[in-house]
Every structure is written in structure tokens, then in C-alpha cells.
């Protein structure tokens, strides 16, 4: 079965005066912003529309640190309201470059992350609105472009560009998924590819850069002559190899590009991917380790966060997070869960499973083991507002777990739970108990994923 596709792109690099803010996302705990013209490689967004039996399936990727929940809902809702697509047929993925603009004002919280004041946060929101408009315009324009009839073929390559940064975790993501669109004459039209490693190879400086994913895409395009679109994997615990700097962006980007180019030129190991495309999206609610709907629990948290206000200076991240928590408790109330959209596009010959948030590689391992078919697992999909760790990470604490071991009843200092303005870490199974038990975050996620993989 053949498809029709259209591909478009647009630039997202913040530039004055169009963008009100040059504040950057990806690192804390002090203010970090770029300056006009300080750009190593342009940030881009790409859109592919796959027409399956006349119906559009829209795949949008962007060189952004994250997509907040309200941004996802606004873009998705606007396109649905305009009658351009249905909810399940729209997928949006961020590359997670740490050298791009700060996006949104809720999660991550700019005040907690960098101590920004309200005027700075207003500017961040202004830039976010420009990004939203550009992404919406890109989708609209791509939907109206001339369609090309293609077939898809899928294969996987391998390359080492990163390492597992979490103590006691050894799995390293080396798989490189590759999906190639070709015309009937075998000429390539577009390439989708992925990897699983935090785009931090540039390091913590003030230069805008799409990092290794953008460098790889540019090299693939230059070599093979067609658009190349990068999609990030479940790399919440995977860092790009060191050292840091511009040379490493080039080094790792070229390594990834060469793996893709070599595989495509060899033309071995590819299998056909045909329609129809069966799409579904579900949203699960992940519980915290403590019940924040319980007034006694909330009172205890307020007391402990109020104590932090006296223990840390006002410019410390622990103070800033505690202040936000106390303000939440005294105002609208604490959240009772973390929402997590999980999406599936199932072709004949390939399933794409797209997970929201910064999912750790343990889920990649578990899902690959549980599903016998060809499976491309993407992270940072649709929205990014938390780290999602499996039980064996949650048992030990740390940044990705959201708490300082052994106290999992409150957000840990300098952990993701502070960055993303959550009151506590996620709920784990009892220590040492496998498989994950009912009610744990891991069990909820795995059950949803397996249902999506095994049912229409």
C-alpha cells in the first residue's frame, strides 16, 4: 500500500525583535540567556503529513527543550477546531536540545529554574506564543502542499553517542530507527531517524544550537539530498558523550549521521511499512508517593515547605520551589497526579509508540522485551512536564527519581520535582518487588502501553 506525503519546515531560532525573550532552557539554577546573533546552528521545526486513504496523519518535530502541557493542548485544540485533523492523528515531538529557548511559564517553572522575575516570565511567554504561531503555520502550510506518492521502508542501525548517567543503571541506548520514504522510481523523498541521548553535547553556554540532532539531520540532508527529521527516544537517563563544546556537537552529530547514511546506502535490513495507520491516544494519571488529596498529608507538606523557607536563602532553588508549593497549598491547591499522554501509530510492519515527558530508558527495555513486533519508541512526545522513572530508579532516589534518598515523601533538593514544580516524586512499587504492582506509576504506564500495542 502506498501513501502520499508532504514535508515542510520552518525556523524557530529566537531573534529580536520577533521574539520577546532570549532566555534559554535546559540548565539551572541561575539565569541563562543568549544575545542577538549568538547562534551556532539554527533551530528548526519539521512537519510531515502522511495521507493514508485520504486522511492526514501529522507528524511534527521541533528543536525545543520541551513542549508544556498548555502549549500542546493549544496547538492540538486549534488544529482540531479548524477541522484539519483528529486528535489521534497528530503527534508532536521535541528534540530536547539544551541550547534552545525556555518555553512556557508553568513546567518547568522559570522562577524556580532560574529565578526569573515576572517581566522576564512575560517575555518567555511572548516567545512561547511566537513559537506556537510558527508551529501552527507550519502544519497548515504542509497540509496544503503538493503531495508525493511514496512507500515506506524501515530498518535500525546502531551507534554509541551517549552513556547512562544514573547510578547503578547500565543500559545505553544505541539503536537508531530509520524510516525512509521513496517514490515508485526508488528515489528518496524524506528520512525519519532517531536516537536516545540528551542533546547536551554543546554544554551550558549561551549560544543557540540545535545540538547533535540538528547537526546529524543537516549532514544526512547534504549527503542524501532529501529532508531528514530527527525524533528523540526515551533518554531521560542518557547523556551525550563528553567532553562538551561545539566540536562535540559536530563529532556526535556526524557519528549519528554516518550511521544513518551508511545504513541507507547499504540498503540492507529494510522491511516494508504499509497501511492502514491505526492511531490511538490515551492519557494516564500517575500518582505521587504521597496522597496530595489527603488534608493531613497536605498540612504536613506545607509545614515542611514552610520550614525550607527559613532554611535556605531567597535566591536558592530550594527556597523558590518551597515558596511555589506553599503558594499552591494556600491558593488553588496541590496537583494530585501527573497526566501522561501515550500515543500509538500502528502501521503494518511498524508501530510508533510516543511517550510524553522525560521517560527513562528502562521503559524502552521493558517495552521492547514485551512486544515482538518492530517498535519505534519516542520520548518527549506531545508534552514534557516531568521525569518518568521505572521502579528500580524510584527505589534509589536522585535527580531523575525526584527525591533525596531515603525520603520519598517530598520533592528532593535540586531534583526534577523541583524543576517541574511538583510536590513529591512518583509512586513506586515496594522496594525489591517485581513486576511492578498495581497503583504504581510503572504499572500504570506499562499497562497502558501494552494495551495500545496489542489492541486496535
Amino acid at each position: 500500500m502506498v501513501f502520499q506525503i508532504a514535508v515542510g519546515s520552518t525556523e524557530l531560532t529566537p531573534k529580536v525583535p520577533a521574539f520577546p525573550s532570549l532566555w534559554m532552557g535546559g540548565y539551572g539554577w541561575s539565569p541563562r540567556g543568549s544575545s542577538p546573533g549568538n547562534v551556532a546552528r539554527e533551530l528548526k521545526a519539521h512537519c510531515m503529513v502522511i495521507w493514508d486513504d485520504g486522511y492526514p496523519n501529522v507528524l511534527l518535530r521541533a528543536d525545543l527543550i520541551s513542549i508544556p502541557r498548555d502549549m500542546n493542548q493549544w496547538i492540538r485544540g486549534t488544529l482540531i477546531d479548524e477541522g484539519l485533523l483528529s486528535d489521534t492523528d497528530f503527534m508532536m515531538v521535541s528534540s530536547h536540545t539544551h541550547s534552545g529557548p525556555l518555553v512556557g511559564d508553568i513546567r518547568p517553572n522559570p522562577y524556580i529554574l532560574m529565578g526569573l522575575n515576572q517581566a522576564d516570565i512575560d517575555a518567555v511567554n511572548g516567545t512561547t506564543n511566537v513559537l506556537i504561531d510558527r508551529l501552527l503555520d507550519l502544519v497548515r502550510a504542509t497540509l496544503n502542499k503538493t503531495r508525493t506518492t511514496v512507500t515506506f521502508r524501515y530498518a535500525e542501525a546502531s551507534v554509541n553517542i551517549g552513556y547512562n548517567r544514573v547510578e547503578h543503571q547500565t543500559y545505553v541506548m544505541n539503536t537508531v530507527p530509520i524510516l525512509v520514504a521513496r517514490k515508485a522510481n526508488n528515489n528518496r523523498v524524506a528520512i525519519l531517524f532517531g536516537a536516545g541521548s540528551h542533546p547536551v553535547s554543546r554544554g551550558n553556554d549561551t549560544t543557540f544550537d540545535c545540538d547533535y540532532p540538528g547537526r546529524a539531520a543537516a549532514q544526512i540532508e547534504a549527503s542524501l539530498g532529501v529532508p531528514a527529521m530527527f525524533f528523540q527516544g526515551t533518554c531521560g537517563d542518557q547523556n551525550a558523550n563528553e567532553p562538551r563544546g561545539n566540536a562535540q556537537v559536530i563529532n556526535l552529530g556526524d557519528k549519528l549521521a554516518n550511521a544513518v547514511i551508511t545504513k541507507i546506502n547499504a540498503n540492507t535490513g529494510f522491511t516494508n511499512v504499509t497501511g492502514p495507520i491505526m492511531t490511538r491516544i490515551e492519557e494516564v494519571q500517575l500518582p505521587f508517593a504521597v496522597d496530595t488529596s489527603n488534608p493531613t498529608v497536605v498540612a504536613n507538606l506545607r509545614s515542611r515547605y514552610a520550614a525550607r523557607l527559613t532554611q535556605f536563602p531567597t535566591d536558592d532553588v530550594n527556597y523558590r520551589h518551597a515558596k511555589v508549593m506553599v503558594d499552591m497549598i494556600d491558593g488553588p491547591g496541590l496537583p494530585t497526579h501527573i497526566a501522561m499522554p501515550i500515543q500509538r501509530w500502528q502501521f503494518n510492519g511498524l508501530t510508533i509508540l510516543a511517550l510524553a515527558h522525560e521517560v527513562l530508558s528502562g521503559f524502552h527495555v521493558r517495552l521492547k522485551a514485551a512486544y515482538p513486533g518492530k517498535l519505534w519508541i519516542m520520548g518527549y512526545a506531545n508534552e514534557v512536564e516531568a521525569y518518568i522513572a521505572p521502579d528500580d530508579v524510584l527505589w534509589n532516589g536522585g535527580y531523575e527519581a525526584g527525591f533525596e534518598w531515603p525520603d520519598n515523601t517530598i520533592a528532593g533538593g535540586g531534583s526534577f520535582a523541583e524543576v517541574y514544580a511538583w510536590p513529591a516524586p512518583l509512586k513506586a512499587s515496594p522496594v525489591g518487588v517485581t513486576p511492578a504492582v498495581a497503583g504504581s506509576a510503572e504499572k500504570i504506564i506499562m499497562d497502558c502501553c501494552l494495551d495500545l500495542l496489542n489492541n486496535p
Side-chain angles (χ1 to χ4, degrees):
M1 177 180 178
V2 297
F3 300 97
Q4 291 182 312
I5 68 168
V7 179
S9 65
T10 194
E11 187 181 305
L12 299 180
T13 312
K15 296 176 181 177
V16 292
F19 288 80
S21 162
L22 299 182
W23 292 113
M24 302 179 72
Y27 298 98
W29 306 106
S30 58
R32 171 176 172 252
S34 190
S35 56
N38 190 5
V39 180
R41 278 159 285 269
E42 300 289 352
L43 309 177
K44 296 180 180 181
H46 299 82
C47 179
M48 176 182 283
V49 180
I50 306 172
W51 297 87
D52 176 27
D53 196 27
Y55 293 94
N57 300 270
V58 177
L59 189 54
L60 179 65
R61 52 85 49 210
D63 291 324
L64 296 174
I65 180 68
S66 64
I67 301 167
R69 182 172 176 82
D70 56 351
M71 180 175 176
N72 169 42
Q73 292 179 332
W74 182 264
I75 292 173
R76 184 178 297 272
T78 299
L79 295 171
I80 292 170
D81 289 346
E82 291 177 3
L84 298 177
L85 46 75
S86 64
D87 188 30
T88 63
D89 299 336
F90 177 67
M91 185 185 296
M92 179 167 51
V93 183
S94 55
S95 73
H96 199 50
T97 177
H98 282 47
S99 297
L102 181 60
V103 184
D105 66 347
I106 301 174
R107 294 188 172 90
N109 183 299
Y111 166 68
I112 297 174
L113 181 67
M114 296 194 296
L116 298 190
N117 60 35
Q118 190 57 53
D120 295 329
I121 294 171
D122 290 344
V124 169
N125 283 330
T127 281
T128 303
N129 289 335
V130 175
L131 294 169
I132 290 171
D133 288 342
R134 292 198 178 186
L135 292 173
L136 283 169
D137 286 344
L138 172 60
V139 173
R140 296 178 183 119
T142 308
L143 282 164
N144 285 321
K145 293 187 74 169
T146 301
R147 307 176 196 178
T148 301
T149 300
V150 301
T151 57
F152 284 122
R153 287 174 64 80
Y154 178 79
E156 293 179 354
S158 179
V159 70
N160 177 258
I161 58 171
Y163 64 95
N164 197 313
R165 71 190 191 193
V166 174
E167 189 176 6
H168 307 307
Q169 298 295 310
T170 60
Y171 179 76
V172 177
M173 296 183 67
N174 293 329
T175 302
V176 180
I178 304 168
L179 185 64
V180 181
R182 294 180 183 268
K183 295 181 182 178
N185 62 7
N186 211 38
N187 287 346
R188 290 179 290 266
V189 178
I191 297 163
L192 280 61
F193 72 105
S197 183
H198 258 63
V200 293
S201 48
R202 179 166 200 94
N204 186 0
D205 67 10
T206 58
T207 300
F208 284 123
D209 194 343
C210 52
D211 211 279
Y212 80 80
R215 169 70 183 189
Q219 294 300 100
I220 295 167
E221 290 179 4
S223 176
L224 301 181
V226 296
M229 302 168 58
F230 172 87
F231 294 88
Q232 189 60 267
T234 56
C235 69
D237 52 356
Q238 309 279 312
N239 263 7
N241 285 332
E242 298 172 353
R244 302 285 175 250
N246 186 66
Q248 187 71 335
V249 175
I250 296 171
N251 175 37
L252 298 183
D254 288 358
K255 284 186 68 174
L256 176 56
N258 289 338
V260 175
I261 293 166
T262 300
K263 186 68 175 179
I264 291 175
N265 284 337
N267 198 29
T268 58
F270 282 86
T271 55
N272 292 329
V273 175
T274 63
I277 308 174
M278 305 293 290
T279 63
R280 272 181 65 192
I281 189 167
E282 302 290 341
E283 183 169 283
V284 295
Q285 310 300 327
L286 305 181
F288 297 115
V290 293
D291 181 4
T292 54
S293 67
N294 184 318
T296 301
V297 170
V298 173
N300 178 263
L301 284 172
R302 191 194 187 288
S303 175
R304 297 176 70 186
Y305 280 124
R308 288 186 180 182
L309 295 177
T310 66
Q311 295 166 359
F312 296 97
T314 58
D315 61 351
D316 187 277
V317 61
N318 294 286
Y319 177 95
R320 298 195 297 258
H321 176 262
K323 184 177 186 305
V324 170
M325 293 298 103
V326 170
D327 288 346
M328 278 188 184
I329 293 169
D330 292 346
L334 293 176
T336 58
H337 61 268
I338 297 177
M340 182 178 180
I342 303 175
Q343 190 169 12
R344 181 217 68 201
W345 283 11
Q346 194 163 55
F347 300 76
N348 285 322
L350 176 66
T351 298
I352 297 174
L353 189 66
L355 308 180
H357 307 312
E358 302 202 47
V359 179
L360 273 62
S361 64
F363 283 100
H364 178 97
V365 174
R366 289 158 172 76
L367 289 166
K368 283 280 193 175
Y371 184 72
K374 295 186 185 300
L375 178 62
W376 185 346
I377 306 172
M378 298 177 182
Y380 303 87
N382 295 314
E383 57 193 57
V384 180
E385 293 199 336
Y387 272 76
I388 307 297
D391 279 342
D392 55 350
V393 174
L394 290 177
W395 291 334
N396 293 293
Y399 177 83
E400 294 82 3
F403 69 96
E404 296 175 80
W405 191 87
D407 187 3
N408 70 342
T409 63
I410 192 170
S415 74
F416 96 81
E418 288 200 332
V419 175
Y420 285 108
W422 298 112
L426 290 172
K427 183 177 182 179
S429 302
V431 175
V433 175
T434 58
V437 304
S440 67
E442 179 179 322
K443 176 66 170 173
I444 292 168
I445 294 166
M446 289 297 297
D447 282 353
C448 180
C449 288
L450 293 175
D451 178 65
L452 287 168
L453 291 173
N454 293 310
N455 294 296

